C-alpha cells in the first residue's frame, strides 16, 4: 500500500523538477515560434550561460568583490555573452540559411551546438563547478498531517518561483511590447512581416537573445542543483519530449508538458521502477512522448497543422 | 587531359545504364579496390610502411570501414528518404546484441507457458546477418509513426528508440547472458571453419562486407526503390500524387537502412571491439554517424566514406600536427577543438555546399571533363 504522504512528496518533487524542464523547453518554443527553427543548441546555451556565470563569479569573489556585486556583475557578464552568442548565430549560422527547409536549419543548430559546447569549455574550462545562489536544504511540510512530513527541496521551490516570474515576464513581453508583437508577426508569416517593415534579422537576434536569457535562468537553477558541468547539455534532450507533449508552438504547453514529464517520471521511477529494474527516468519521458505522438501528434496545446520539416 | 570521355561511345542500353559509364571512373575504382583488397594486405603482411605496426589497420582502417557502412545505412534513410533519425546508435546496438544472442545461443524460458524456446548457437556469419534483420524489424516498427509524423517529430521518436534501447541493453541482463559487469565478449569469429584472428583477416572481412553492401546500396538507390525514396524526400505530397505509396517507400527505407546499420553494429561489436558494453552505442554514436553523412554528402554512396574518413582522421591530425610543430595540445583542448571544427564545418557545409564533400568531388570531376576549356 502506497502511503499518501510519500505519494504527495514524490508528486511535489516531480512537479518542481518539471518546472526546470519547462525552463529549457521554453527556450526551444521561443525560437521555434519566431523563426520556425528547431533549436537543438538550447542545451549548449544553458551550458555556456552557466559556465560564464559561475566562472565570472569565482573570479570576482577571489578578487575580493562583495557577493551581491559579484552576482550582479556575473549575471550581467553572462547576459552579454548570450547576446554575443545570439548575434553570432544569427549572423553566421541562421541568417545565411534563411528560406532553407527546416531539416537543414535543424542540422545547422546541431552544428551550432558543437561549436558552443567546444568554445564554452575551451574558454571557461571543462570541470564541474559548484554554483551556490539559492538555498539547497530541505523543508518539511505538514509534519502533523503525515508521518515524517513531506520533504520539499527549497531550491525546487525557488526554481518554481523564478519560472513563474519568467513566464509572466515573457507573456508581457509578447503581448504588450512593440518588439513582442513584431515577433509574433514574424512567427505568423516571415514575408508579410518583412513587407510591413519588420527587420527580420533584428527579430531573430532578439529571439535568440531571449532564449539565451532563458538558458541563463535555467543554468542558475540547474547549476545550483547539479553543479555547472558538461552533463547539463543533456537537459536539452529531456526538453524534447516536453515539447512533443506540450506542443512545439505553445508557451503554456512547454510549462504543462514540463510538469507532466517531471511528475510522471518521478512517480514512474519510484512506484514502477523497482519492478522493472530501475533507471526508467532515463526513457520514460520519451515513451510518454511517443504515446502522445501516436494519439495527438500536435501535442496538447500545439497548432493542428504539422508541416513537413 | 586524362579524365575525358571523348571517344567512349555507348552502343547498348546496358552500357548506358552502367554504374560508372566513364572508363576512367571504372579504372580508378578498379585500382582502388585492387589497393584495398591486395595492396593493403600485402603491405601489412610484410610490415612495409605505413603498416609497420598493426596500428593503422586496427585503429583506423577497421573503424573506417565499419562506420562507413553504418553511415551508408544512415544516408539511405536521411539522405535519400529525408527521414531524419537520431537513433542510429540504437539500431547498431540492436544488430550487435541480436547477433551476440544468436551467436551464443538463445534460451527463452517461458515457464508460465510450460515450455522454453531454445536456439542453438548459430554460425557467426548467419548471426551477423540475422542481427541486421532484427534491426530491420525494429526499424520498421519505429518507421510506422513516420506515416503520421514528420521531420522533427520523427527525430524525437527515433531519440526515444535510442534512449529506450540504451536502457534495455543496460538493464535487461538476458541480453548480456547475465554478465555481472554488463560487458560482453563476442564469440570466436569462425567463418565455416576459418577462424579470423589477425587484423589483416578482420580487415578483409569488413572490406568484403562493405564492398558488397556499397554495391547493393548503390544499385538500390539507382533503381525503382531509390527513386521512390528520393521522390518522398523531395516532396511527399507530389510523390503520392504520381502514384508512389508513402507507406511502402518509407518503410522500405527504414528497413534497408536499419538492416545495414544493424550489420554494421554487429561488425563493430564482433570485429572491431571484441568486447563491449551498451555505452559503445550511445547517442554520441548516432550524432557521429549523422555528421559523417552531412559532411560526406547527403544522398550519395561515396559521401559516407569521405565523411567517415574525415571524422576519424581529424582528431589524429589535431593530435599530430601541433606535436610536429612543437606546440602539443592537451587532450582536453583537442576534444574541444574537434567539437568546434566539426560544428563549424557542418554549418559551413550546410550553407555553402549542402551535399557535402561528395558533391565537391563530383564538381571537380565535371570541371576536369571540360579542362582546359571552361565554359
Amino acid at each position: 500500500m502506497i502511503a499518501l504522504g510519500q505519494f504527495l512528496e514524490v508528486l511535489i518533487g516531480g512537479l518542481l523538477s518539471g518546472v526546470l524542464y519547462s525552463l529549457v523547453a521554453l527556450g526551444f518554443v521561443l525560437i521555434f515560434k519566431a523563426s520556425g527553427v528547431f533549436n537543438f543548441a538550447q542545451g549548449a546555451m544553458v551550458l555556456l550561460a552557466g559556465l560564464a556565470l559561475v566562472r565570472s563569479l569565482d573570479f570576482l569573489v577571489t578578487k575580493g568583490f562583495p557577493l551581491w556585486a559579484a552576482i550582479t556583475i556575473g549575471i550581467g557578464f553572462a547576459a552579454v555573452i548570450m547576446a554575443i552568442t545570439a548575434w553570432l548565430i544569427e549572423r553566421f549560422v541562421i541568417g545565411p540559411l534563411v528560406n532553407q527547409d527546416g531539416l537543414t536549419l535543424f542540422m545547422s543548430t546541431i552544428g551550432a551546438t558543437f561549436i558552443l559546447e567546444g568554445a564554452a569549455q575551451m574558454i571557461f574550462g571543462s570541470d564541474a563547478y559548484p554554483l551556490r545562489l539559492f538555498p539547497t536544504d530541505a523543508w518539511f511540510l505538514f509534519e502533523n498531517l503525515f508521518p515524517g512530513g513531506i520533504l520539499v527541496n527549497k531550491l525546487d521551490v525557488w526554481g518554481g518561483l523564478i519560472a513563474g516570474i519568467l513566464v509572466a515576464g515573457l507573456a508581457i513581453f509578447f503581448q504588450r511590447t512593440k518588439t513582442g508583437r513584431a515577433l509574433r508577426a514574424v512567427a505568423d508569416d516571415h514575408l508579410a512581416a518583412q513587407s510591413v517593415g519588420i527587420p527580420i534579422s533584428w527579430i531573430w537576434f532578439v529571439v535568440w537573445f531571449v532564449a539565451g536569457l532563458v538558458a541563463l535562468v535555467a543554468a542558475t537553477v540547474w547549476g545550483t542543483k547539479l553543479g555547472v558541468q558538461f552533463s547539463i547539455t543533456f537537459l536539452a534532450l529531456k526538453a524534447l519530449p516536453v515539447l512533443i507533449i506540450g506542443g512545439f508552438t505553445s508557451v503554456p504547453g512547454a510549462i504543462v508538458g514540463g510538469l507532466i514529464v517531471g511528475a510522471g517520471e518521478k512517480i514512474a521511477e519510484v512506484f514502477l521502477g523497482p519492478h522493472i529494474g530501475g533507471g526508467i527516468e532515463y526513457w520514460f519521458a520519451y515513451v510518454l512522448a511517443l504515446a502522445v505522438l501516436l494519439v495527438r501528434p500536435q501535442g496538447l496545446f500545439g497548432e493542428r497543422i504539422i508541416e513537413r520539416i | 587531359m586524362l579524365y575525358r570521355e571523348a571517344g567512349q561511345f555507348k552502343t547498348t542500353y546496358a552500357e548506358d545504364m552502367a554504374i560508372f559509364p566513364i572508363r576512367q571512373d571504372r579504372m580508378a575504382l578498379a585500382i582502388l579496390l585492387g589497393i584495398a583488397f591486395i595492396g593493403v594486405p600485402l603491405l601489412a603482411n610484410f610490415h612495409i610502411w605505413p603498416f609497420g605496426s598493426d596500428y593503422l589497420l586496427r585503429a583506423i582502417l577497421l573503424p573506417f570501414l565499419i562506420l562507413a557502412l553504418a553511415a551508408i545505412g544512415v544516408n539511405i534513410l536521411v539522405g535519400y528518404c529525408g527521414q531524419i533519425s537520431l537513433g542510429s546508435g540504437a539500431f547498431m546496438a540492436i544488430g550487435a546484441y541480436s547477433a551476440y544472442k544468436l551467436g551464443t545461443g538463445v534460451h527463452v524460458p517461458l515457464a508460465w507457458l510450460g515450455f522454453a524456446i531454445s536456439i542453438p548457437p548459430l554460425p557467426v556469419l548467419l548471426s551477423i546477418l540475422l542481427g541486421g534483420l532484427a534491426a530491420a524489424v525494429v526499424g520498421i516498427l519505429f518507421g510506422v509513426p513516420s506515416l503520421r509524423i514528420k521531420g522533427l517529430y520523427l527525430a524525437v521518436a527515433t531519440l526515444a528508440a535510442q534512449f529506450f534501447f540504451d536502457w534495455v541493453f543496460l538493464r535487461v541482463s538476458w541480453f548480456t547472458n547475465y554478465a555481472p559487469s554488463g560487458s560482453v565478449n563476442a564469440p570466436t569469429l569462425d567463418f565455416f571453419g576459418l577462424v579470423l584472428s589477425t587484423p589483416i583477416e578482420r580487415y578483409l572481412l569488413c572490406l568484403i562486407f562493405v564492398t558488397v553492401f556499397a554495391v547493393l546500396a548503390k544499385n538500390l538507390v539507382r533503381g525503382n526503390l531509390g527513386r521512390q525514396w528520393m521522390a518522398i524526400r523531395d516532396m511527399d505530397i507530389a510523390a503520392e500524387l504520381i502514384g508512389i505509396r508513402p507507406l511502402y517507400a518509407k518503410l522500405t527505407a527504414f528497413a534497408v537502412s536499419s538492416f545495414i546499420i544493424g550489420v554494421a553494429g554487429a561488425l563493430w561489436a564482433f570485429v572491431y571491439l571484441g568486447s563491449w558494453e551498451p555505452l559503445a552505442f550511445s547517442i554520441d554514436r548516432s550524432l557521429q554517424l549523422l555528421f559523417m553523412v552531412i559532411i560526406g554528402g547527403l544522398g550519395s554512396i561515396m559521401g559516407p566514406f569521405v565523411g567517415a574518413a574525415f571524422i576519424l582522421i581529424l582528431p589524429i591530425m589535431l593530435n599530430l600536427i601541433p606535436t610536429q610543430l612543437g606546440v602539443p595540445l592537451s587532450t582536453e583542448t583537442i576534444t574541444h577543438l574537434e567539437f568546434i571544427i566539426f560544428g563549424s564545418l557542418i554549418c559551413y557545409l550546410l550553407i555553402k555546399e549542402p551535399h557535402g564533400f561528395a558533391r565537391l568531388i563530383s564538381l571537380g570531376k565535371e570541371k576536369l571533363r571540360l579542362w582546359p576549356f571552361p565554359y
Side-chain angles (χ1 to χ4, degrees):
Chain A
M1 184 58 204
I2 298 161
L4 185 62
Q6 192 199 356
F7 180 78
L8 279 180
E9 185 177 308
V10 172
L11 181 69
I12 292 174
L15 284 175
L16 287 173
S17 68
V19 168
L20 300 179
Y21 296 146
S22 307
L23 274 180
V24 181
L26 259 182
F28 278 103
V29 169
L30 286 176
I31 290 179
F32 192 81
K33 260 175 95 84
S35 56
V37 177
F38 186 86
N39 177 25
F40 196 76
Q42 190 66 27
M45 282 164 76
V46 175
L47 175 73
L48 175 64
L51 280 176
L53 176 64
V54 77
R55 295 298 281 167
S56 60
L57 268 184
D58 287 353
F59 177 76
L60 290 168
V61 168
T62 50
K63 284 280 175 214
F65 279 79
L67 191 63
W68 61 269
I71 289 176
T72 320
I73 300 173
I75 288 179
F77 173 71
V80 170
I81 293 275
M82 295 327 285
I84 295 171
T85 311
W87 182 77
L88 287 175
I89 287 180
E90 200 287 317
R91 177 75 182 73
F92 292 107
V93 182
I94 300 295
L97 284 170
V98 66
N99 288 336
Q100 297 280 343
D101 63 323
L103 196 66
T104 313
L105 288 165
F106 172 60
M107 289 194 290
S108 76
T109 65
I110 298 185
T113 308
F114 273 66
I115 301 175
L116 286 181
E117 282 172 1
Q121 293 187 78
M122 205 143 116
I123 298 168
F124 297 113
S126 53
D127 295 329
Y129 302 101
L131 180 66
R132 287 187 198 85
L133 289 185
F134 305 108
T136 50
D137 47 335
W139 257 342
F140 290 95
L141 299 176
F142 306 113
E143 273 181 88
N144 40 5
L145 220 60
F146 302 106
I150 295 174
L151 184 118
V152 176
N153 202 325
K154 262 187 198 164
L155 169 68
D156 289 339
V157 179
W158 270 101
L161 270 178
I162 291 171
I165 295 168
L166 190 71
V167 171
L170 283 175
I172 293 170
F173 174 68
F174 271 108
Q175 302 292 335
R176 301 268 177 238
T177 66
K178 204 176 162 189
T179 317
R181 278 199 290 265
L183 225 136
R184 284 191 290 151
V186 172
D188 269 356
D189 191 338
H190 291 185
L191 275 179
Q194 271 179 312
S195 63
V196 296
I198 292 169
I200 200 163
S201 60
W202 165 249
I203 292 298
W204 281 8
F205 164 75
V206 169
V207 170
W208 278 82
F209 179 49
V210 172
L213 292 182
V214 174
L216 177 60
V217 174
T220 53
V221 182
W222 273 100
T224 313
K225 195 166 186 168
L226 304 167
V228 178
Q229 54 183 317
F230 182 70
S231 65
I232 220 167
T233 54
F234 292 110
L235 266 180
L237 297 176
K238 195 65 110 182
L240 290 175
V242 171
L243 289 173
I244 293 281
I245 292 168
F248 271 110
T249 51
S250 158
V251 170
I255 306 287
V256 176
L259 294 179
I260 292 176
V261 166
E265 71 178 14
K266 283 284 180 306
I267 289 172
E269 179 68 48
V270 172
F271 298 111
L272 199 66
H275 301 293
I276 57 170
I280 62 174
E281 242 180 305
Y282 195 52
W283 54 261
F284 179 80
Y286 281 92
V287 175
L288 198 65
L290 259 190
V292 171
L293 271 181
L294 290 176
V295 181
R296 196 180 154 85
Q298 73 272 27
L300 295 177
F301 296 87
E303 286 163 25
R304 192 143 188 89
I305 312 148
I306 298 179
E307 297 272 6
R308 175 194 159 82
I309 286 174
Chain B
M1 285 295 234
L2 290 171
Y3 194 79
R4 179 162 302 168
E5 54 181 314
Q8 298 179 32
F9 302 110
K10 300 175 188 97
T11 50
T12 62
Y13 284 121
E15 277 174 24
D16 208 23
M17 290 191 295
I19 302 185
F20 298 103
I22 300 173
R23 191 192 301 137
Q24 285 87 343
D25 278 347
R26 287 196 295 271
M27 280 157 60
L29 188 76
I31 293 170
L32 198 67
L33 284 178
I35 292 174
F37 270 102
I38 302 163
V40 169
L42 270 182
L43 286 177
N45 200 27
F46 295 109
H47 295 291
I48 301 166
W49 188 89
F51 294 94
S53 66
D54 284 339
Y55 174 76
L56 188 63
L57 214 53
R58 195 195 296 272
I60 298 178
L61 285 179
L62 215 52
F64 161 69
L65 286 174
I66 301 173
L67 289 180
L69 180 61
I72 289 177
V74 176
N75 209 0
I76 284 181
L77 192 62
V78 181
Y80 283 99
C81 199
Q83 311 289 310
I84 192 160
S85 164
L86 295 173
S88 16
F91 292 108
M92 277 181 87
I94 293 166
Y97 279 96
S98 321
Y100 170 73
K101 280 307 280 185
L102 291 166
T104 53
V106 183
H107 182 75
V108 190
L110 295 171
W112 46 284
L113 284 177
F115 67 100
I117 299 171
S118 284
I119 304 171
L122 297 175
V124 173
L125 181 63
L126 198 61
S127 36
I128 289 179
L129 292 177
L130 286 177
L133 210 60
V137 171
V138 181
I140 291 174
L141 280 181
F142 274 89
V144 171
S146 75
L147 301 171
R148 283 196 69 188
I149 58 176
K150 284 167 191 164
L152 301 169
Y153 291 83
L154 189 65
V156 175
T158 53
L159 258 186
Q162 176 74 50
F163 285 111
F164 182 68
F165 284 105
D166 274 1
W167 176 83
V168 164
F169 294 127
L170 192 66
R171 298 289 174 141
V172 183
S173 43
W174 181 80
F175 285 102
T176 54
N177 283 352
Y178 305 99
S181 64
S183 119
V184 293
N185 293 310
T188 328
L189 292 173
D190 181 345
F191 285 89
F192 310 109
L194 190 72
V195 178
L196 306 185
S197 51
T198 64
I200 302 176
E201 291 165 346
R202 287 162 182 250
Y203 162 79
L204 279 174
L205 171 77
C206 291
L207 189 63
I208 292 170
F209 264 101
V210 171
T211 315
V212 169
F213 277 104
V215 170
L216 285 179
K218 180 77 189 172
N219 273 313
L220 213 54
V221 297
R222 277 167 9 110
N224 178 12
L225 201 54
R227 282 169 200 281
Q228 291 189 19
W229 294 339
M230 286 187 263
I232 290 282
R233 170 195 66 189
D234 290 340
M235 197 180 214
D236 51 352
I237 296 171
E240 211 173 334
L241 282 175
I242 59 170
I244 289 167
R245 286 168 294 163
L247 173 76
Y248 177 75
K250 284 180 180 174
L251 289 190
T252 45
F254 266 96
V256 172
S257 152
S258 320
F259 178 75
I260 296 178
I261 296 173
V263 168
L267 286 177
W268 183 256
F270 280 24
V271 182
Y272 177 63
L273 295 174
S275 73
W276 72 96
E277 44 193 37
L279 207 65
F281 303 103
S282 65
I283 177 143
D284 292 336
R285 182 76 57 217
S286 304
L287 287 177
Q288 194 187 27
L289 288 174
L290 197 62
F291 289 168
M292 288 179 184
V293 172
I294 297 176
I295 291 178
L298 283 164
S300 83
I301 296 296
M302 181 172 55
F305 288 97
V306 184
F310 185 83
I311 279 191
L312 284 170
I313 289 170
L314 182 69
I316 298 169
M317 287 292 134
L318 277 178
N319 206 341
L320 214 63
I321 292 173
T323 318
Q324 294 287 324
L325 293 175
V327 272
L329 302 170
S330 69
T331 37
E332 263 185 19
T333 319
I334 289 175
T335 324
H336 301 153
L337 261 184
E338 228 178 276
F339 270 49
I340 296 177
I341 292 176
F342 282 151
S344 324
L345 249 177
I346 287 170
C347 293
Y348 182 78
L349 280 174
L350 283 170
I351 293 165
K352 293 290 176 193
E353 189 51 82
H355 295 285
F357 283 146
R359 175 80 186 131
L360 287 180
I361 292 173
S362 59
L363 268 179
K365 287 198 326 196
E366 289 296 315
K367 288 215 189 311
L368 267 182
R369 280 160 84 167
L370 300 172
W371 191 84
F373 303 113
Y375 285 121

